[in-house]
Amino acid sequence: MTETPERRQVIVDTDTGLDDALALLHLAGSPRADIAAVTTVYGNCHVEDSLRNAAHVLRLAGLADVPLSRGAAGPLRGEAHIAGYVHGDDGLGDLGFERPDPRTTQRTAAQQIVALADEAPGRYDVLALGPLTNLALALREDPDLLFKVRSVTIMGGSGPYQPLGRSLMIDANIQNDGDAAHVLFSAARPADDTVTMVGVDVTGTVVLDEAMTSSLRHAGTAWGTFAADILDAYYRFYVHEWGRRVAPVHDPLAAAVLIHPELVTRRVSAPAAVTSNGFATRARLLELPDGTPPALPREIALAPATAVTDVDRDAFLAEFVTGLAHGVAR
């Protein structure tokens, strides 16, 4: 007899841009997940747009009653960097979606995360799709938070250093608040795999193309049409990066790794650190490709973490596109 897949109770912390919206729909349509709460943060757009966008997607998914909380408008220090050039000024490609002011909880995002973890220790998985500011604020309020949530999966960070001559995309979520990333990676936690990074070293290799967008549009469903529309907007940025109308699916892959761990074909655990060369700030594992330590001061190492470094791309893309094409609001 086949066992029923476990249903994760997910707190989604999101800077609701184009790929975040797809990740929310992916979770909403999955028999392996319940979206227990959504907390919002700046990043792909301003936090007020992030709230409106999250509410819009939740309504589309038939999940308008999911608690929605307003989070940080900027990093722990400095000013927010808003990626309107990627996601449009409104975060959803400036496509004219109706986004009325949403109903929000009285708790801030950080307070909501702490409260839910306190109410039901071990129940919730946190999926962080934006800058880690809300999580850092939650950890300042409750330093034992990582002992109370089941896991934290972040779209950000990376595994071991790249081979010589190979570079990474900018890791926007860590770049936006390196201080917050440091708070998370230095926090006490029960095990190496409590915090899992699904970073640009792997998400940047999983790519949607126009054939997949066409299949979404031709499905004739509300979810498929919405996904095709925002992917068209996403392609407008990446065509300048890769010369083709394609786009990586950063946030949806992080969501899929949480609820479909069987998609992961390789993961690495090692001491982590938040490093900066003055231009790029990254959270990463302190290993070279051969497993030896890098030529960096040992004292920068933080607690161990786990990074996903490879996935079954074909299986993910097939499941992801099919789910969006045929998704039905609950």
Side-chain angles (χ1 to χ4, degrees):
M1 187 169 120
T2 304
E3 291 186 9
T4 303
E6 185 178 16
R7 201 174 185 100
R8 300 272 187 161
Q9 302 300 308
V10 186
I11 302 170
V12 184
D13 188 61
T14 175
D15 56 341
T16 329
L18 297 167
D19 57 330
D20 304 70
L22 296 177
L24 283 170
L25 278 185
H26 182 54
L27 290 173
S30 174
R32 295 193 181 188
D34 289 317
I35 300 176
V38 174
T39 57
T40 59
V41 69
Y42 70 96
N44 291 331
C45 52
H46 293 284
V47 69
E48 295 299 340
D49 285 308
S50 182
L51 275 167
R52 293 188 184 95
N53 295 345
H56 178 76
V57 176
L58 290 172
R59 283 195 297 271
L60 177 63
L63 298 174
D65 291 334
V66 168
L68 181 63
S69 303
R70 185 187 192 279
L76 297 180
R77 288 190 301 163
E79 297 182 0
H81 176 83
I82 305 300
Y85 49 88
V86 179
H87 298 269
D89 289 339
D90 69 358
L92 285 182
D94 297 326
L95 297 174
F97 297 117
E98 290 187 13
R99 304 174 307 133
D101 288 340
R103 184 176 69 252
T104 61
T105 66
Q106 292 186 336
R107 296 168 176 161
T108 66
Q111 290 168 343
Q112 177 78 321
I113 294 168
V114 169
L116 290 174
D118 276 340
E119 290 165 10
R123 176 176 174 82
Y124 296 105
D125 296 281
V126 177
L127 176 64
L129 302 178
L132 298 173
T133 315
N134 289 337
L135 270 176
L137 293 171
L139 281 162
R140 285 182 173 179
E141 185 172 332
D142 183 359
D144 291 329
L145 177 67
L146 298 186
F147 292 90
K148 298 176 182 178
V149 297
R150 181 172 175 174
S151 69
V152 176
T153 300
I154 70 168
M155 194 279 107
S158 68
Y161 280 79
Q162 297 292 293
L164 291 176
R166 190 182 301 171
S167 60
L168 285 178
M169 291 180 177
I170 291 294
D171 185 348
N173 291 337
I174 305 300
Q175 181 86 7
N176 249 321
D177 197 344
D179 292 330
H182 184 87
V183 171
L184 173 64
F185 283 94
S186 60
R189 50 187 179 268
D192 293 1
D193 60 355
T194 302
V195 177
T196 297
M197 296 184 283
V198 186
V200 293
D201 53 339
V202 61
T203 63
T205 69
V206 182
V207 178
L208 284 173
D209 59 26
E210 286 198 289
M212 295 173 187
T213 306
S214 179
S215 70
L216 290 169
R217 195 173 298 284
H218 289 154
T221 62
W223 288 25
T225 299
F226 174 78
D229 286 344
I230 63 175
L231 280 168
D232 280 339
Y234 211 21
Y235 294 161
R236 289 200 295 267
F237 172 78
Y238 277 101
V239 72
H240 296 290
E241 296 292 304
W242 291 338
R244 287 157 284 183
R245 285 177 51 79
V246 298
V249 279
H250 300 296
D251 292 337
L253 183 62
V257 162
L258 173 59
I259 60 175
H260 290 280
E262 70 277 7
L263 290 172
V264 178
T265 58
R266 185 170 183 267
R267 64 178 74 223
V268 179
S269 295
V274 179
T275 64
S276 178
N277 60 10
F279 171 72
T281 299
R282 299 190 184 279
R284 66 193 322 159
L285 299 185
L286 293 181
E287 277 194 0
L288 297 180
D290 63 2
T292 59
L296 291 170
R298 289 187 179 182
E299 59 267 22
I300 73 167
L302 303 173
T306 295
V308 171
T309 56
D310 208 357
V311 295
D312 186 336
R313 293 164 183 76
D314 291 340
F316 163 69
L317 288 171
E319 193 269 340
F320 176 64
V321 173
T322 300
L324 288 185
H326 302 293
V328 178
R330 296 185 187 181

